[in-house]
């Protein structure tokens, strides 16, 4: 399972289309698109997307390690990815994430912005379909994995939608929100289903729940202490878009993503260093970094810091630089 198959690319259009589409279900997409919506589109939309995404992804990741359905055999399938090959296959969390993010964005914006609903629906369907097809093209999932992931995500969206406003209100107003946002994800991470061998699912789940925990604490703090500065309207781009608006949108994004990436790098170094000192292992020891007592605090603290910085520190910096 650790070997890499040789293959010849015969259609570069499909190859790059589906390799790019597959990236829409990975960290690089989450760490750019989700903050982008918070900085440049609408805070309420971003909050709903992040909550739906975290719930859907946790259920999907846990389901994999409970069901333990294998990925497609290789050969005959040619696998274009290796990192997630150690994970089980059913359901496809790429399909779940793509369905959850694209359709929650559509549902959250359809009553706030004037655009053809048919266009928004088609865009959500096309984006989620591209990600689903990419999992088949790259050889990482069966058709059943992908259909199962998309259907589970759709069912969860239907179940969560009536409670969106209630959850959002509690996140912003409950005095217990910060404690709940930290304790519950940590308990879930430490009690993640155990496997007979190492799989990236626990680490990826910890990253997702950590980022959500940091972001929800940030949402609460902004509402409690900086509501006027972060009401959402001040960070929305104007419609129709003008050149100056595009410049501000890009400036907010690049300033924000730079701060987020620096935070991730800094916190990884600091937390790993402290854990290495505590448990007496060198930073390059991959096996030690995969241990429960190391992986969970390392990834949770790192990505909760990322979520907090993205929702609190970056908007403050935007305001300081006159980018709001």
């Amino acid at each position: 399972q650790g070997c890499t198959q040789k293959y010849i690319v015969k259609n570069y259009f499909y190859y790059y289309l589906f390799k790019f589409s597959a990236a829409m279900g990975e960290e690089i997409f989450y760490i750019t698109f989700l903050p982008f919506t918070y900085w440049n589109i609408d805070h309420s939309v971003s909050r709903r997307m992040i909550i739906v995404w975290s719930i859907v992804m946790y259920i999907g990741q846990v389901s994999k390690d409970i069901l333990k359905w294998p990925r497609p055999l290789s050969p005959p399938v040619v696998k274009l990815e290796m990192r997630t090959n150690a994970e089980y296959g059913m359901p496809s969390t790429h399909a779940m994430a793509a369905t959850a993010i694209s359709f929650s964005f559509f549902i959250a914006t359809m009553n706030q912005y004037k655009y053809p609903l048919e266009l928004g629906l088609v865009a959500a369907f096309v984006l989620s379909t591209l990600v689903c097809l990419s999992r088949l093209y790259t050889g990482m999932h069966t058709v059943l994995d992908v259909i199962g992931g998309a259907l589970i995500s759709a069912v969860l969206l239907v179940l969560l939608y009536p409670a969106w406003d209630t959850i959002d209100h509690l996140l912003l107003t409950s005095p217990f929100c910060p404690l709940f946002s930290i304790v519950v994800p940590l308990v879930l991470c430490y009690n993640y289903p155990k496997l007979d061998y190492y799989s990236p699912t626990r680490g990826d789940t910890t990253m997702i729940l950590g980022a959500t925990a940091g972001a929800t604490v940030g949402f609460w703090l902004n509402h409690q202490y900086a509501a006027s500065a972060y009401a959402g309207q001040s960070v929305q781009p104007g419609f129709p878009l003008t050149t100056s608006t595009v410049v501000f949108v890009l400036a907010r994004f690049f300033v924000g993503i730079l701060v987020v990436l620096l935070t991730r790098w800094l916190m990884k170094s600091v937390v790993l260093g402290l854990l290495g000192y505590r448990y007496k292992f060198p930073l390059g020891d991959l096996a030690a970094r995969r241990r429960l007592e190391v992986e969970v605090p390392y990834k949770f603290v790192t990505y909760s810091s990322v979520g907090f910085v993205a929702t609190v520190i970056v908007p403050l910096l935007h305001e300081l630089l006159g980018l709001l």
Side-chain angles (χ1 to χ4, degrees), residues 170-216:
L170 290 173
L171 284 179
L172 297 179
T173 61
S174 173
F176 302 105
C177 173
L179 181 64
F180 181 87
S181 298
I182 298 296
V183 172
V184 172
L186 270 176
V187 170
L188 293 176
C189 292
Y190 274 107
N191 291 277
Y192 192 82
K194 293 179 175 59
L195 297 177
D196 297 330
Y197 63 94
Y198 178 79
S199 168
T201 48
R202 185 184 65 203
D204 290 347
T205 304
T206 304
M207 289 164 49
I208 292 166
L209 294 183
T212 303
T216 50

Short mmCIF file of all heavy atoms in Angstrom, two decimals, residues 170-216:
data_model
loop_
_atom_site.label_atom_id
_atom_site.label_comp_id
_atom_site.label_asym_id
_atom_site.label_seq_id
_atom_site.Cartn_x
_atom_site.Cartn_y
_atom_site.Cartn_z
N LEU A 170 -27.07 30.87 19.78
CA LEU A 170 -26.40 30.35 20.97
C LEU A 170 -24.89 30.58 20.90
O LEU A 170 -24.25 30.92 21.90
CB LEU A 170 -26.70 28.86 21.15
CG LEU A 170 -28.13 28.51 21.56
CD1 LEU A 170 -28.33 27.00 21.53
CD2 LEU A 170 -28.43 29.06 22.95
N LEU A 171 -24.32 30.40 19.71
CA LEU A 171 -22.88 30.61 19.54
C LEU A 171 -22.48 32.04 19.85
O LEU A 171 -21.38 32.29 20.36
CB LEU A 171 -22.46 30.27 18.10
CG LEU A 171 -22.35 28.80 17.72
CD1 LEU A 171 -21.95 28.67 16.26
CD2 LEU A 171 -21.35 28.08 18.60
N LEU A 172 -23.36 32.98 19.55
CA LEU A 172 -23.03 34.38 19.74
C LEU A 172 -23.39 34.92 21.12
O LEU A 172 -22.74 35.85 21.61
CB LEU A 172 -23.76 35.23 18.68
CG LEU A 172 -23.38 34.97 17.23
CD1 LEU A 172 -24.21 35.86 16.32
CD2 LEU A 172 -21.91 35.18 16.98
N THR A 173 -24.39 34.33 21.76
CA THR A 173 -24.91 34.94 22.98
C THR A 173 -24.71 34.13 24.26
O THR A 173 -24.70 34.70 25.35
CB THR A 173 -26.42 35.22 22.82
OG1 THR A 173 -27.11 33.97 22.59
CG2 THR A 173 -26.67 36.17 21.66
N SER A 174 -24.57 32.82 24.16
CA SER A 174 -24.48 32.00 25.36
C SER A 174 -23.17 32.24 26.10
O SER A 174 -22.09 32.19 25.49
CB SER A 174 -24.59 30.51 25.02
OG SER A 174 -24.33 29.72 26.16
N PRO A 175 -23.22 32.47 27.42
CA PRO A 175 -21.98 32.65 28.18
C PRO A 175 -21.15 31.37 28.26
O PRO A 175 -19.97 31.41 28.62
CB PRO A 175 -22.49 33.07 29.57
CG PRO A 175 -23.89 32.56 29.65
CD PRO A 175 -24.43 32.64 28.26
N PHE A 176 -21.77 30.24 27.95
CA PHE A 176 -21.07 28.96 28.00
C PHE A 176 -20.41 28.60 26.67
O PHE A 176 -19.75 27.57 26.58
CB PHE A 176 -22.03 27.85 28.39
CG PHE A 176 -22.71 28.07 29.72
CD1 PHE A 176 -24.04 28.46 29.77
CD2 PHE A 176 -22.02 27.92 30.90
CE1 PHE A 176 -24.67 28.69 30.98
CE2 PHE A 176 -22.63 28.13 32.13
CZ PHE A 176 -23.95 28.53 32.17
N CYS A 177 -20.60 29.42 25.63
CA CYS A 177 -20.08 29.11 24.30
C CYS A 177 -18.58 28.84 24.28
O CYS A 177 -18.15 27.82 23.74
CB CYS A 177 -20.45 30.21 23.31
SG CYS A 177 -19.69 30.01 21.69
N PRO A 178 -17.73 29.71 24.86
CA PRO A 178 -16.28 29.45 24.79
C PRO A 178 -15.89 28.12 25.44
O PRO A 178 -15.09 27.36 24.87
CB PRO A 178 -15.68 30.64 25.55
CG PRO A 178 -16.70 31.71 25.43
CD PRO A 178 -18.02 31.01 25.48
N LEU A 179 -16.46 27.82 26.61
CA LEU A 179 -16.15 26.57 27.30
C LEU A 179 -16.64 25.38 26.50
O LEU A 179 -15.91 24.40 26.29
CB LEU A 179 -16.79 26.58 28.69
CG LEU A 179 -16.53 25.33 29.56
CD1 LEU A 179 -15.05 25.21 29.87
CD2 LEU A 179 -17.35 25.39 30.83
N PHE A 180 -17.87 25.45 26.02
CA PHE A 180 -18.45 24.37 25.21
C PHE A 180 -17.64 24.15 23.93
O PHE A 180 -17.38 23.00 23.54
CB PHE A 180 -19.90 24.72 24.87
CG PHE A 180 -20.61 23.68 24.05
CD1 PHE A 180 -21.26 22.63 24.66
CD2 PHE A 180 -20.63 23.76 22.66
CE1 PHE A 180 -21.92 21.67 23.90
CE2 PHE A 180 -21.28 22.82 21.89
CZ PHE A 180 -21.93 21.76 22.52
N SER A 181 -17.24 25.24 23.29
CA SER A 181 -16.52 25.16 22.00
C SER A 181 -15.16 24.50 22.14
O SER A 181 -14.65 23.93 21.17
CB SER A 181 -16.36 26.56 21.41
OG SER A 181 -17.61 27.15 21.15
N ILE A 182 -14.56 24.58 23.32
CA ILE A 182 -13.24 23.98 23.53
C ILE A 182 -13.34 22.57 24.10
O ILE A 182 -12.70 21.63 23.61
CB ILE A 182 -12.39 24.86 24.49
CG1 ILE A 182 -12.15 26.24 23.87
CG2 ILE A 182 -11.07 24.18 24.81
CD1 ILE A 182 -11.34 26.23 22.60
N VAL A 183 -14.18 22.40 25.12
CA VAL A 183 -14.25 21.12 25.84
C VAL A 183 -14.83 20.01 24.98
O VAL A 183 -14.26 18.91 24.89
CB VAL A 183 -15.05 21.28 27.14
CG1 VAL A 183 -15.28 19.91 27.79
CG2 VAL A 183 -14.32 22.20 28.11
N VAL A 184 -15.96 20.27 24.32
CA VAL A 184 -16.63 19.21 23.55
C VAL A 184 -15.74 18.69 22.41
O VAL A 184 -15.56 17.47 22.28
CB VAL A 184 -17.99 19.70 23.02
CG1 VAL A 184 -18.59 18.68 22.05
CG2 VAL A 184 -18.95 19.93 24.19
N PRO A 185 -15.14 19.56 21.57
CA PRO A 185 -14.25 19.03 20.53
C PRO A 185 -13.06 18.26 21.10
O PRO A 185 -12.65 17.24 20.53
CB PRO A 185 -13.79 20.30 19.80
CG PRO A 185 -14.86 21.28 20.03
CD PRO A 185 -15.35 21.01 21.41
N LEU A 186 -12.49 18.73 22.21
CA LEU A 186 -11.36 18.00 22.81
C LEU A 186 -11.78 16.61 23.28
O LEU A 186 -11.05 15.63 23.08
CB LEU A 186 -10.79 18.80 23.98
CG LEU A 186 -9.67 19.78 23.66
CD1 LEU A 186 -9.27 20.56 24.91
CD2 LEU A 186 -8.45 19.07 23.06
N VAL A 187 -12.93 16.51 23.90
CA VAL A 187 -13.44 15.20 24.34
C VAL A 187 -13.64 14.28 23.15
O VAL A 187 -13.28 13.09 23.18
CB VAL A 187 -14.75 15.37 25.14
CG1 VAL A 187 -15.42 14.02 25.38
CG2 VAL A 187 -14.49 16.08 26.46
N LEU A 188 -14.21 14.83 22.08
CA LEU A 188 -14.43 14.02 20.87
C LEU A 188 -13.11 13.56 20.26
O LEU A 188 -12.99 12.41 19.80
CB LEU A 188 -15.22 14.83 19.84
CG LEU A 188 -16.67 15.17 20.21
CD1 LEU A 188 -17.30 16.06 19.15
CD2 LEU A 188 -17.50 13.91 20.40
N CYS A 189 -12.10 14.41 20.27
CA CYS A 189 -10.80 14.06 19.70
C CYS A 189 -10.10 12.99 20.52
O CYS A 189 -9.52 12.04 19.97
CB CYS A 189 -9.91 15.29 19.59
SG CYS A 189 -10.46 16.51 18.38
N TYR A 190 -10.13 13.12 21.83
CA TYR A 190 -9.46 12.15 22.69
C TYR A 190 -10.19 10.81 22.73
O TYR A 190 -9.60 9.79 23.10
CB TYR A 190 -9.31 12.70 24.11
CG TYR A 190 -8.07 13.54 24.29
CD1 TYR A 190 -8.16 14.92 24.42
CD2 TYR A 190 -6.80 12.96 24.32
CE1 TYR A 190 -7.02 15.71 24.58
CE2 TYR A 190 -5.66 13.74 24.48
CZ TYR A 190 -5.77 15.10 24.61
OH TYR A 190 -4.64 15.87 24.77
N ASN A 191 -11.46 10.81 22.38
CA ASN A 191 -12.25 9.57 22.37
C ASN A 191 -12.57 9.11 20.96
O ASN A 191 -13.58 8.44 20.73
CB ASN A 191 -13.53 9.76 23.17
CG ASN A 191 -13.26 9.91 24.66
OD1 ASN A 191 -13.12 8.93 25.37
ND2 ASN A 191 -13.19 11.15 25.13
N TYR A 192 -11.70 9.47 20.02
CA TYR A 192 -11.91 9.07 18.63
C TYR A 192 -11.75 7.55 18.51
O TYR A 192 -10.94 6.95 19.23
CB TYR A 192 -10.87 9.77 17.75
CG TYR A 192 -11.16 9.67 16.28
CD1 TYR A 192 -12.06 10.54 15.68
CD2 TYR A 192 -10.56 8.69 15.51
CE1 TYR A 192 -12.35 10.44 14.33
CE2 TYR A 192 -10.84 8.58 14.15
CZ TYR A 192 -11.74 9.46 13.58
OH TYR A 192 -12.03 9.34 12.24
N PRO A 193 -12.52 6.90 17.62
CA PRO A 193 -12.43 5.44 17.49
C PRO A 193 -10.99 4.98 17.22
O PRO A 193 -10.29 5.54 16.40
CB PRO A 193 -13.33 5.14 16.28
CG PRO A 193 -14.31 6.26 16.27
CD PRO A 193 -13.58 7.47 16.75
N LYS A 194 -10.57 3.94 17.93
CA LYS A 194 -9.19 3.43 17.81
C LYS A 194 -9.10 2.40 16.70
O LYS A 194 -10.00 1.59 16.50
CB LYS A 194 -8.74 2.81 19.13
CG LYS A 194 -8.60 3.83 20.26
CD LYS A 194 -8.17 3.16 21.56
CE LYS A 194 -7.91 4.19 22.66
NZ LYS A 194 -9.09 5.01 22.96
N LEU A 195 -7.98 2.45 15.96
CA LEU A 195 -7.71 1.50 14.90
C LEU A 195 -6.49 0.65 15.25
O LEU A 195 -5.72 0.99 16.16
CB LEU A 195 -7.46 2.23 13.57
CG LEU A 195 -8.62 3.06 13.02
CD1 LEU A 195 -8.18 3.79 11.75
CD2 LEU A 195 -9.83 2.18 12.72
N ASP A 196 -6.32 -0.46 14.52
CA ASP A 196 -5.16 -1.33 14.76
C ASP A 196 -3.87 -0.76 14.17
O ASP A 196 -2.79 -1.25 14.46
CB ASP A 196 -5.42 -2.72 14.16
CG ASP A 196 -6.60 -3.40 14.83
OD1 ASP A 196 -6.83 -3.13 16.04
OD2 ASP A 196 -7.28 -4.21 14.17
N TYR A 197 -4.00 0.25 13.32
CA TYR A 197 -2.83 0.88 12.70
C TYR A 197 -3.10 2.37 12.61
O TYR A 197 -4.23 2.83 12.79
CB TYR A 197 -2.57 0.29 11.31
CG TYR A 197 -3.67 0.55 10.32
CD1 TYR A 197 -3.63 1.66 9.47
CD2 TYR A 197 -4.78 -0.31 10.23
CE1 TYR A 197 -4.64 1.92 8.58
CE2 TYR A 197 -5.79 -0.05 9.34
CZ TYR A 197 -5.73 1.05 8.52
OH TYR A 197 -6.74 1.31 7.63
N TYR A 198 -2.05 3.14 12.32
CA TYR A 198 -2.23 4.59 12.26
C TYR A 198 -2.95 4.99 10.98
O TYR A 198 -2.64 4.52 9.88
CB TYR A 198 -0.89 5.31 12.32
CG TYR A 198 -1.06 6.82 12.22
CD1 TYR A 198 -1.46 7.56 13.32
CD2 TYR A 198 -0.86 7.47 11.00
CE1 TYR A 198 -1.66 8.93 13.23
CE2 TYR A 198 -1.05 8.85 10.90
CZ TYR A 198 -1.45 9.56 12.02
OH TYR A 198 -1.65 10.92 11.91
N SER A 199 -3.90 5.90 11.14
CA SER A 199 -4.63 6.49 10.01
C SER A 199 -4.67 8.00 10.21
O SER A 199 -4.78 8.47 11.34
CB SER A 199 -6.05 5.92 9.94
OG SER A 199 -6.84 6.68 9.04
N PRO A 200 -4.62 8.78 9.12
CA PRO A 200 -4.68 10.25 9.25
C PRO A 200 -6.03 10.78 9.70
O PRO A 200 -6.15 11.98 9.97
CB PRO A 200 -4.37 10.74 7.82
CG PRO A 200 -3.81 9.57 7.09
CD PRO A 200 -4.37 8.36 7.73
N THR A 201 -7.05 9.93 9.81
CA THR A 201 -8.39 10.42 10.10
C THR A 201 -8.47 11.15 11.44
O THR A 201 -9.12 12.19 11.55
CB THR A 201 -9.42 9.28 10.08
OG1 THR A 201 -8.93 8.19 10.86
CG2 THR A 201 -9.69 8.81 8.66
N ARG A 202 -7.84 10.59 12.49
CA ARG A 202 -7.91 11.25 13.80
C ARG A 202 -7.24 12.61 13.76
O ARG A 202 -7.76 13.60 14.29
CB ARG A 202 -7.25 10.38 14.87
CG ARG A 202 -7.41 10.97 16.29
CD ARG A 202 -6.67 10.15 17.32
NE ARG A 202 -5.24 10.19 17.10
CZ ARG A 202 -4.39 9.26 17.53
NH1 ARG A 202 -4.86 8.20 18.18
NH2 ARG A 202 -3.09 9.36 17.29
N GLY A 203 -6.07 12.68 13.12
CA GLY A 203 -5.37 13.96 13.01
C GLY A 203 -6.15 14.97 12.20
O GLY A 203 -6.24 16.15 12.59
N ASP A 204 -6.74 14.54 11.08
CA ASP A 204 -7.52 15.46 10.26
C ASP A 204 -8.77 15.93 11.00
O ASP A 204 -9.16 17.11 10.90
CB ASP A 204 -7.93 14.77 8.95
CG ASP A 204 -6.74 14.53 8.02
OD1 ASP A 204 -5.68 15.12 8.28
OD2 ASP A 204 -6.89 13.77 7.06
N THR A 205 -9.40 15.02 11.74
CA THR A 205 -10.58 15.40 12.51
C THR A 205 -10.21 16.41 13.60
O THR A 205 -10.96 17.38 13.84
CB THR A 205 -11.22 14.16 13.15
OG1 THR A 205 -11.51 13.21 12.13
CG2 THR A 205 -12.50 14.52 13.89
N THR A 206 -9.08 16.20 14.24
CA THR A 206 -8.61 17.14 15.27
C THR A 206 -8.35 18.51 14.68
O THR A 206 -8.68 19.54 15.29
CB THR A 206 -7.34 16.60 15.94
OG1 THR A 206 -7.58 15.29 16.46
CG2 THR A 206 -6.89 17.51 17.07
N MET A 207 -7.78 18.56 13.48
CA MET A 207 -7.56 19.84 12.81
C MET A 207 -8.87 20.56 12.56
O MET A 207 -9.01 21.76 12.82
CB MET A 207 -6.83 19.60 11.48
CG MET A 207 -5.38 19.18 11.62
SD MET A 207 -4.71 18.46 10.09
CE MET A 207 -5.17 19.65 8.88
N ILE A 208 -9.86 19.84 12.06
CA ILE A 208 -11.16 20.44 11.73
C ILE A 208 -11.86 20.94 13.00
O ILE A 208 -12.34 22.09 13.05
CB ILE A 208 -12.04 19.41 10.99
CG1 ILE A 208 -11.45 19.12 9.60
CG2 ILE A 208 -13.48 19.90 10.87
CD1 ILE A 208 -12.04 17.90 8.93
N LEU A 209 -11.91 20.09 14.02
CA LEU A 209 -12.58 20.49 15.25
C LEU A 209 -11.82 21.60 15.97
O LEU A 209 -12.42 22.49 16.58
CB LEU A 209 -12.75 19.28 16.18
CG LEU A 209 -13.67 18.17 15.68
CD1 LEU A 209 -13.81 17.07 16.73
CD2 LEU A 209 -15.06 18.71 15.32
N GLY A 210 -10.49 21.56 15.89
CA GLY A 210 -9.69 22.63 16.49
C GLY A 210 -9.94 23.96 15.82
O GLY A 210 -10.13 24.98 16.49
N ALA A 211 -9.92 23.97 14.49
CA ALA A 211 -10.16 25.23 13.76
C ALA A 211 -11.56 25.77 14.06
O ALA A 211 -11.74 26.98 14.23
CB ALA A 211 -10.00 24.98 12.26
N THR A 212 -12.54 24.87 14.14
CA THR A 212 -13.91 25.29 14.45
C THR A 212 -14.00 25.83 15.87
O THR A 212 -14.69 26.83 16.12
CB THR A 212 -14.88 24.11 14.26
OG1 THR A 212 -14.77 23.60 12.93
CG2 THR A 212 -16.32 24.55 14.51
N ALA A 213 -13.30 25.19 16.80
CA ALA A 213 -13.32 25.65 18.19
C ALA A 213 -12.76 27.07 18.29
O ALA A 213 -13.36 27.96 18.93
CB ALA A 213 -12.50 24.70 19.07
N GLY A 214 -11.61 27.31 17.66
CA GLY A 214 -11.02 28.64 17.69
C GLY A 214 -11.90 29.68 17.03
O GLY A 214 -12.04 30.80 17.52
N ALA A 215 -12.51 29.29 15.91
CA ALA A 215 -13.38 30.22 15.18
C ALA A 215 -14.63 30.56 15.98
O ALA A 215 -15.05 31.73 16.03
CB ALA A 215 -13.76 29.64 13.83
N THR A 216 -15.24 29.57 16.63
CA THR A 216 -16.47 29.84 17.38
C THR A 216 -16.20 30.72 18.61
O THR A 216 -17.03 31.57 18.95
CB THR A 216 -17.16 28.53 17.81
OG1 THR A 216 -16.21 27.67 18.45
CG2 THR A 216 -17.75 27.82 16.61
#
